[in-house]
Amino acid sequence: MGHAPGGPGAGGDCWGACVGLGLCLPPQSGVPPPVPTGAPCPQWPYCRKRCSYCNFNKYVVPAVDEAAVRACLVREARTLLRLSQVQSVTSVFFGGGTPSLASPRTIAAVLEAVAGAAHLPAGAEVTLEANPRSAGTARLAGFKAAGVNRLSVGIQSLDDAELRLLGREHTAAEARGAVEAARGLFPGRTSIDLLFGLPGQSRGAWARGLEAALGLCDHHVSLYQLTLERGTALAAQVSGGALPAPSQDLLADMYQTARAALVAAGFRQYEVSNFARKGTLSTHNLSYWRAEQYIGVGPGAHGRFVLRGEGGRSREARVQTLEPDAWMREVQSRGHGTRRRVVLSPLEQLEEVLALGLRTDEGVTHERWGRFSPHLSLEAIFGAPGEAKALQQQGWLVLDGGGLRCTWRGLALLDSLLPALLCQLQRRWAPPAAPALPAQGAAPAGGGGAPRRSP
Amino acid sequence: MSGIITKKIFLVVLDVSACELRKSGWFSAFLPFPQSLLASYDEEKLDMSTYPVESIRNFSIIAHVDHGKSTLADRLLEITGTIAKTHHNKQVLDKLQVERERGITVKAQSASLFYSHEGANYLLNLIDTPGHVDFSYEVSRSLSACQGVLLVVDANEGIQAQTVANFYLAFEAQLAIIPVINKIDLKNADPERVEKQIEKLFDIPIDECVRISAKQGTNVEKVLQKVIEKIPPPQCNTADPLKALVFDSTFDHYRGVIANIALFGGEIQKGHKVVSAHTKKRYEVNEVGILTPNEQPTHKLYAGQVGYLIAGMKEVTEAQIGDTLFLYKQPVEPLPGFKSAKPMVFAGMYPVDQTEYNNLKSALERLTLNDSSVTVHRDSSLALGAGWRLGFLGLLHMEVFNQRLEQEYNMSVIVTAPTVPYKAVLSSAKLIKEYGKAEITIINPAQFPDKLSVSEYLEPTVLGTIVTPQEYIGKIIALCQDRRAVQKDMLYIDERRVILKYLFPLNEIVVDFYDALKSLSSGYASFDYEDAGYQAADLIKMDILLNGNPVEELATIIHNDKAYATGKFLCERLKDAIPRQLFEIAIQAAIGKKIIARETLKAYRKNVVAKCYGGDITRRMKLLKRQAEGKKLMRKIGNVEVPRDAFIRVLKRQTDK
């Protein structure tokens, strides 16, 4: 998840972290709901070690001036919450980097800042991504005391050879220990991350790994096909021929095997890579796919919210400065380190609603679509003869009373469906008669679709 | 007085060059004229009467590609003060974007140079020529305006196939030939060996070669002296009636046709009424001038001089290349002219979207105005709609043309598989009646007549010349045999290099022979060819099907012996060129109803990105939108989507490019 503020449950190091401690609060969508809500995702940008597959915005430095980073995270969270006018925080997600390397004191300080700037309900989901190496019982207890109530542990694998290939610093035994400790402290609120499709991994090895993980896990599993990102050590080894690239068919088999096994174990696949049982869906991550508001805090964090505090009316895509030292200087001098802000047009918002919503099992509901597109219903756009209709007939897509969503088979092929659906959306979309008001963005920046450096 | 006038002249000149040069991305130079000329200016025009026939030399530079023709031209332009000397002067005469990008000359250009030698002033007209086999037609027509050539040979690479071809063009035109050995500054330069090759092959004494480095400017001055000494002035007289050869033409949006002319007699100026010997049409001259290399108006042009003429011609066809112009009521014996360019490669061209038809039509019209060697026939197909069948001099010519359509007119088109002009001798009385003749030329595979109504098919052939270091001979002979070629000659030009001559069926070399030859000889072998008539051949038409639907772009006429191998090859390549889709795709090659090859492209089983959280969304959306845009440009065959460039990629047999 990388620069995402509030990454998904990657847990641990590089994987999920938004940079730094990212806080994401899901606020809302294009049309302001009665009480603006939001999900802060603070990013902790530092890692102890660089994993072989990770291309996130992360920094391995000998010593972190934690007090300074903490002060900046606190200050930026306050500033952005004020700018967004979020009244109520639905969730907080600490990503990275490796946020479990931060001290509980830092987590507590950020949560206090959030609670001071907006209402943070007692039961709101507060997730921390943890690396097994920095998830001992004592440390986890500290995070719990600081206000964390959900843990995402980045175990990735329960096989020592695979962990070495991935460049992880933990062992399978440490992963087991961390998950057990986490389940003890956060029963029913612990998630694990698993990777499949590693170079050289066989169907059998994956099936065994999955079985072991199912024996260990709590009620939430994030299951990712390894993506060979350009510029990573692992990708270089594969493209150089030192490691084999898994075939498309093998990857498809592994994915289908895992989906079937998890469903058989009582899990609901509520998103392409996320499985939960007993209703323990991650509120925070759903806010991305439901196109709600989220506020990225920390180096490289991304956000989507309306700058209501400055009279803004349009949803903006915002990215904070990537490099931690530069980010800190900016936060110190002007309260936040937003590097880039782009006002999303109504069509761009709908494109996101569509592309993200279809990743979930609920799909894009009529209600949500209507919030972003009051004049053109899902039916009006996708019910007419065209791409969506053809995809429905072929059994990849469903449009019914619930909304638009993928079939079980279609979900695995979503990226082949989306370009056609986007074409249809773009064709059918007519801009509303009255041009949308340009956002009066923060300070000097503001309206206009063009990216610009935020004041 | 002259000071003031000079200033005025300079202003005008600057103005012209500023806008011309901005177009060509070349800002640095303006045109300082030699003092001798400034004295004779009046108004804004040059007086060319100070250059009588004896002081004129008309010459071309001919060379194998990359042997340094354009660099030498740049140096000559600098030395003579035609352009300012700066490090920006690279390929000054190559004005088209495609020429600069590919480092080739496509369109001949001319420049008049003023040069003083041993106290006398000379007017040297440099007529640039294209440097690729596809454009040898342009070379020969440029040579018709010359009395001599500089034959440039790379001191490292030695004589190459085009050197040989160009030499014979010049030799047959009875021009003075000055061998110039270029790139002597290179570490591996071996000018002595090259001089020996020239002596052996062309029978030119070693001491007539000039050794230079155009890049560094070494000995370039000596080249100019040789031009004056060795190349005769044109044989003609200003007192004779006007006789002007049109050797090239370009089209300017605002001024109409600009014809490049060489005067073989008489003089010409604004207001003269001239007649085309070819069309008999009459025109009034609006402007004459010289090229420096941009147009510079002059009062008159005199016998022996080379320049341009604007005379209210609206279409390039009116300025027929090879045509002779004479004064109204003073007809002259027309100059021999030349054969019109003969297209060797045909391809269908269609708009991606039929609503673009009219835009494409006007782009084609404008582009062919500047390239009269392209033939255009209207065509239409069930699958591709209305379009055209275009004839090109060769595949490079076709690629350059397409690139110019994209770069200069922003047009995206569907181009079908190139085909050569086959012939069929009809046996069916009905068909003979229909066509009005027994022998027809087939430029579109869709019109391939069935075997039952044909007594014989014919295919065009070429005589190919290959020059190669001897170590590659084995591989090259194997390649030629694979291409159904017959060896005609083999000669060692020195102890290391060999010339091979082969008779090739044209279709075997059209697409990728040159690439294959380059690749198996590590770039050392060179190739050129000339037309060699028709031969009987056992031809068939092969279709390629995607899920049962024919791909019109890939229908090809091929030799029966090659059908299975080609069919298999095309299916395999298509399998790699077509992205996986939601369903399985059968890729088949068929002759009539018979399937001769098949590949299966399996359906996608998983295609969804694993992680899509807050920080991934922007990048993700950008990619998806790009894919959506790409989808709109895909060619749909049945329900199969194919990227537009897939077919051309498939047709190139070489994988490593």
Side-chain angles (χ1 to χ4, degrees):
Chain A
M1 36 197 34
H3 332 167
D13 323 334
C14 327
W15 220 198
C18 313
V19 182
L21 294 174
L23 263 191
C24 286
L25 311 159
Q28 65 239 13
S29 41
V31 183
V35 179
T37 59
C41 3
Q43 309 282 312
W44 181 262
Y46 302 106
C47 287
R48 215 147 42 192
K49 182 171 185 291
R50 214 171 281 277
C51 298
S52 63
Y53 57 92
C54 174
N55 72 339
F56 292 162
N57 181 41
K58 66 201 178 257
Y59 299 85
V60 180
V61 296
V64 175
D65 181 354
E66 184 162 351
V69 178
R70 175 166 56 231
C72 287
L73 285 171
V74 163
R75 182 150 178 219
E76 186 169 59
R78 282 196 187 121
T79 309
L80 296 181
L81 280 166
R82 179 169 47 73
L83 286 171
S84 72
Q85 295 275 292
V86 160
Q87 304 289 302
S88 179
V89 168
T90 48
S91 63
V92 182
F93 194 107
F94 290 90
T98 310
S100 56
L101 291 175
S103 67
R105 201 181 143 198
T106 295
I107 305 300
V110 173
L111 286 173
E112 275 162 31
V114 170
H119 176 56
L120 178 60
E125 179 184 291
V126 178
T127 307
L128 176 85
E129 290 187 313
N131 175 4
R133 267 285 169 95
S134 48
T137 306
R139 201 168 173 79
L140 293 185
F143 289 129
K144 185 173 179 177
V148 171
N149 58 21
R150 182 173 180 273
L151 211 66
S152 171
V153 190
I155 64 170
Q156 318 306 354
S157 165
L158 289 171
D159 179 292
D160 284 333
E162 289 181 358
L163 289 168
R164 277 195 299 276
L165 179 68
L166 294 170
R168 304 290 299 187
E169 55 171 6
H170 66 267
T171 61
E174 283 169 321
R176 289 177 182 281
V179 175
E180 276 155 19
R183 291 187 64 179
L185 283 161
F186 304 96
R189 312 268 293 180
T190 297
S191 176
I192 59 168
D193 282 1
L194 286 178
L195 282 177
F196 69 91
L198 277 54
Q201 189 180 37
S202 67
R203 281 179 184 78
W206 167 235
R208 285 191 297 278
L210 187 63
E211 200 185 324
L214 279 172
L216 176 70
C217 71
D218 194 15
H219 299 324
H220 193 283
V221 175
S222 299
L223 193 77
Y224 303 113
Q225 178 183 314
L226 175 70
T227 312
L228 292 169
E229 299 284 0
R230 261 203 317 203
T232 61
L234 205 58
Q237 284 172 287
V238 171
S239 67
L243 288 173
S247 76
Q248 293 293 317
D249 279 340
L250 176 60
L251 292 170
D253 284 347
M254 287 179 165
Y255 185 59
Q256 300 300 359
T257 308
R259 291 175 88 186
L262 280 155
V263 168
F267 285 84
R268 163 181 164 195
Q269 182 180 15
Y270 71 101
E271 193 258 356
V272 170
S273 303
N274 284 279
F275 300 79
R277 61 186 167 197
K278 306 206 169 151
T280 61
L281 286 63
S282 164
T283 309
H284 186 86
N285 289 337
L286 275 172
S287 65
Y288 301 125
W289 307 317
R290 288 175 172 165
E292 284 159 3
Q293 295 205 115
Y294 53 93
I295 300 169
V297 178
H302 285 239
R304 290 278 188 286
F305 58 92
V306 181
L307 264 86
R308 222 168 254 103
E310 295 188 340
R313 302 172 57 127
S314 301
R315 186 173 167 101
E316 287 188 9
R318 298 170 66 97
V319 190
Q320 310 309 107
T321 293
L322 282 174
E323 201 279 313
D325 291 338
W327 168 79
M328 280 197 274
R329 281 193 297 275
E330 287 167 34
V331 174
Q332 282 156 1
S333 68
R334 59 195 175 113
H336 66 90
T338 305
R339 174 54 62 112
R340 186 181 154 92
R341 33 186 309 206
V342 178
V343 171
L344 298 173
S345 71
L347 176 62
E348 286 170 320
Q349 294 182 36
L350 282 177
E351 287 168 342
E352 291 196 0
V353 168
L354 181 72
L356 298 165
L358 289 181
R359 292 183 66 85
T360 62
D361 64 344
E362 66 183 8
V364 181
T365 61
H366 292 292
E367 179 276 326
R368 191 185 319 140
W369 187 264
R371 250 192 292 142
F372 286 88
S373 172
H375 305 296
L376 265 181
S377 67
L378 273 177
E379 287 285 353
I381 291 174
F382 298 110
E387 290 89 334
K389 203 92 186 172
L391 294 171
Q392 279 191 72
Q393 279 156 4
Q394 291 156 22
W396 310 114
L397 210 59
V398 176
L399 175 59
D400 63 10
L404 183 70
R405 64 187 177 279
C406 291
T407 60
W408 173 262
R409 293 197 303 141
L411 189 63
L413 289 163
L414 177 61
D415 292 354
S416 291
L417 313 182
L418 282 173
L421 295 175
L422 288 175
C423 285
Q424 190 170 13
L425 169 60
Q426 290 164 4
R427 232 178 21 245
R428 308 275 304 174
W429 174 255
L437 284 173
Q440 300 303 312
R452 55 182 77 188
R453 202 169 188 288
S454 172
Chain B
M1 165 86 184
S2 80
I4 294 164
I5 291 167
T6 307
K7 210 179 264 172
K8 191 174 165 197
I9 291 163
F10 268 71
L11 280 175
V12 171
V13 168
L14 270 173
D15 196 40
V16 170
S17 57
C19 73
E20 289 295 324
L21 299 179
R22 209 169 293 126
K23 262 190 274 174
S24 62
W26 174 54
F27 294 90
S28 57
F30 64 99
L31 314 170
F33 288 98
Q35 284 301 316
S36 59
L37 266 187
L38 290 179
S40 57
Y41 277 141
D42 68 342
E43 291 181 28
E44 293 156 10
K45 291 181 178 171
L46 297 175
D47 177 0
M48 297 301 290
S49 66
T50 54
Y51 289 92
V53 170
E54 311 81 70
S55 70
I56 297 173
R57 302 292 183 272
N58 295 326
F59 70 105
S60 276
I61 308 176
I62 54 179
H64 190 75
V65 65
D66 279 343
H67 281 196
K69 181 167 67 74
S70 296
T71 312
L72 177 57
D74 290 347
R75 285 303 91 71
L76 296 178
L77 263 55
E78 284 171 11
I79 291 179
T80 55
T82 309
I83 58 172
K85 192 169 177 175
T86 78
H87 59 279
H88 297 298
N89 294 338
K90 284 194 179 142
Q91 287 183 267
V92 168
L93 294 181
D94 292 342
K95 291 183 185 174
L96 301 177
Q97 188 184 345
V98 44
E99 293 180 320
R100 285 155 181 267
E101 280 175 14
R102 293 182 177 231
I104 56 170
T105 303
V106 170
K107 186 90 187 132
Q109 298 287 347
S110 304
S112 293
L113 321 174
F114 302 100
Y115 186 66
S116 253
H117 179 55
E118 294 178 350
N121 291 326
Y122 290 90
L123 170 62
L124 312 179
N125 295 309
L126 164 57
I127 294 151
D128 196 14
T129 59
H132 186 277
V133 46
D134 275 6
F135 303 103
S136 60
Y137 161 77
E138 294 245 355
V139 174
S140 61
R141 96 192 180 201
S142 297
L143 296 186
S144 65
C146 298
Q147 285 75 45
V149 295
L150 302 174
L151 178 65
V152 176
V153 188
D154 183 310
N156 184 16
E157 293 190 357
I159 287 180
Q160 296 295 324
Q162 272 169 264
T163 320
V164 180
N166 285 330
F167 169 81
Y168 284 108
L169 285 176
F171 186 76
E172 282 160 18
Q174 298 183 315
L175 304 184
I177 297 169
I178 302 169
V180 174
I181 303 188
N182 189 22
K183 306 196 189 180
I184 57 167
D185 56 307
L186 291 187
K187 209 171 73 201
N188 295 322
D190 189 353
E192 270 169 45
R193 184 170 66 89
V194 179
E195 283 166 358
K196 281 184 196 148
Q197 289 178 350
I198 288 172
E199 185 173 43
K200 173 161 185 191
L201 216 55
F202 304 146
D203 206 16
I204 300 175
I206 284 173
D207 59 8
E208 287 190 16
C209 296
V210 194
R211 296 182 185 185
I212 68 161
S213 162
K215 193 172 153 205
Q216 299 183 346
T218 318
N219 264 348
V220 175
E221 196 93 23
K222 199 166 159 199
V223 172
L224 286 171
Q225 290 157 17
K226 284 270 191 184
V227 166
I228 289 164
E229 289 161 15
K230 299 283 179 187
I231 297 177
Q235 297 293 313
C236 52
N237 197 329
T238 300
D240 289 344
L242 173 69
K243 191 188 236 187
L245 171 73
V246 178
F247 66 91
D248 198 3
S249 61
T250 52
F251 185 79
D252 181 289
H253 253 328
Y254 303 101
R255 299 192 288 172
V257 175
I258 300 175
N260 289 10
I261 54 172
L263 267 65
F264 284 74
E267 56 180 57
I268 191 167
Q269 68 180 73
K270 181 176 176 172
H272 276 172
K273 291 195 173 49
V274 296
V275 178
S276 149
H278 181 71
T279 64
K280 310 286 185 260
K281 276 195 191 168
R282 190 162 34 130
Y283 302 93
E284 182 171 325
V285 177
N286 300 330
E287 184 179 318
V288 294
I290 57 169
L291 296 156
T292 62
N294 300 307
E295 288 121 30
Q296 171 64 35
T298 61
H299 273 298
K300 290 186 179 181
L301 288 175
Y302 299 90
Q305 296 179 354
V306 170
Y308 70 92
L309 158 140
I310 300 174
M313 296 176 182
K314 302 249 174 350
E315 290 180 23
V316 165
T317 48
E318 293 178 78
Q320 184 79 36
I321 289 158
D323 196 1
T324 302
L325 303 177
F326 55 84
L327 283 179
Y328 181 54
K329 290 192 173 161
Q330 295 182 48
V332 297
E333 180 71 13
L335 292 152
F338 7 60
K339 290 181 282 184
S340 58
K342 200 164 104 184
M344 303 284 249
V345 177
F346 292 84
M349 185 173 279
Y350 297 84
V352 174
D353 176 348
Q354 280 291 320
T355 59
E356 287 287 297
Y357 180 87
N358 282 324
N359 291 338
L360 181 56
K361 183 174 173 222
S362 89
L364 282 177
E365 277 167 0
R366 277 182 285 169
L367 200 49
T368 47
L369 280 180
N370 261 334
D371 189 350
S372 52
S373 53
V374 178
T375 63
V376 182
H377 299 281
R378 280 176 58 184
D379 200 356
S380 70
S381 105
L382 277 181
L384 302 170
W388 299 267
R389 187 141 283 261
L390 306 184
F392 301 97
L393 301 172
L395 194 71
L396 178 76
H397 185 210
M398 172 172 141
E399 285 179 6
V400 164
F401 187 86
N402 290 345
Q403 198 175 337
R404 289 186 66 188
L405 260 185
E406 280 180 18
Q407 287 176 346
E408 296 169 34
Y409 297 94
N410 197 25
M411 280 285 143
S412 292
V413 293
I414 295 170
V415 181
T416 66
T419 182
V420 300
Y422 293 104
K423 286 182 177 178
V425 181
L426 302 172
S427 59
S428 140
K430 185 172 158 253
L431 277 183
I432 293 173
K433 198 175 165 198
E434 197 178 308
Y435 284 102
K437 54 190 172 185
E439 186 177 291
I440 58 166
T441 302
I442 309 151
I443 58 171
N444 185 346
Q447 290 152 5
F448 190 71
D450 190 87
K451 205 169 193 149
L452 295 174
S453 47
V454 168
S455 61
E456 191 177 37
Y457 294 111
L458 302 169
E459 65 179 343
T461 61
V462 293
L463 186 63
T465 302
I466 298 167
V467 176
T468 176
Q470 62 176 6
E471 57 264 41
Y472 304 111
I473 289 179
K475 284 190 202 166
I476 289 173
I477 288 177
L479 173 69
C480 292
Q481 279 168 355
D482 180 52
R483 303 303 177 102
R484 300 191 287 125
V486 180
Q487 197 181 91
K488 294 289 177 191
D489 196 7
M490 179 162 154
L491 170 75
Y492 275 79
I493 52 176
D494 60 20
E495 56 282 8
R496 279 183 285 161
R497 289 184 172 270
V498 184
I499 287 192
L500 296 160
K501 296 229 178 204
Y502 273 90
L503 187 69
F504 286 92
L506 176 61
N507 81 320
E508 295 288 340
I509 59 158
V510 157
V511 176
D512 62 346
F513 178 79
Y514 191 64
D515 292 337
L517 182 71
K518 280 282 169 197
S519 124
L520 66 75
S521 66
S522 309
Y524 286 114
S526 59
F527 180 63
D528 203 335
Y529 62 81
E530 60 193 276
D531 186 5
Y534 278 76
Q535 69 182 17
D538 182 8
L539 302 173
I540 49 167
K541 182 187 164 199
M542 183 174 73
D543 288 309
I544 299 290
L545 314 174
L546 294 182
N547 280 352
N549 297 301
V551 180
E552 187 144 339
E553 292 95 318
L554 294 179
T556 38
I557 298 169
I558 51 170
H559 196 268
N560 201 0
D561 293 352
K562 294 246 167 159
Y564 282 85
T566 308
K568 182 164 178 289
F569 169 83
L570 284 178
C571 290
E572 283 167 4
R573 291 297 301 271
L574 264 180
K575 190 181 169 186
D576 294 336
I578 300 176
R580 277 191 176 201
Q581 307 191 10
L582 291 167
F583 41 83
E584 185 174 289
I585 300 168
I587 304 167
Q588 297 167 309
I591 295 169
K593 292 204 163 18
K594 188 175 156 205
I595 303 295
I596 58 166
R598 172 180 172 132
E599 290 286 328
T600 305
L601 181 62
K602 287 206 263 179
Y604 250 137
R605 290 181 50 214
K606 176 176 189 293
N607 180 28
V608 61
V609 74
K611 287 173 167 255
C612 194
Y613 298 97
D616 310 308
I617 292 170
T618 301
R619 196 170 56 147
R620 188 80 209 121
M621 292 310 299
K622 211 181 250 176
L623 180 67
L624 283 171
K625 284 197 255 187
R626 203 179 319 134
Q627 288 171 346
E629 283 309 306
K631 207 173 172 66
K632 292 176 193 162
L633 295 176
M634 294 263 193
R635 167 96 165 89
K636 283 198 90 167
I637 290 154
N639 54 353
V640 181
E641 289 179 335
V642 186
R644 274 193 312 117
D645 61 344
F647 297 134
I648 271 291
R649 276 193 288 138
V650 161
L651 292 165
K652 294 213 167 197
R653 280 184 243 189
Q654 289 298 112
T655 41
D656 49 348
K657 268 215 80 185

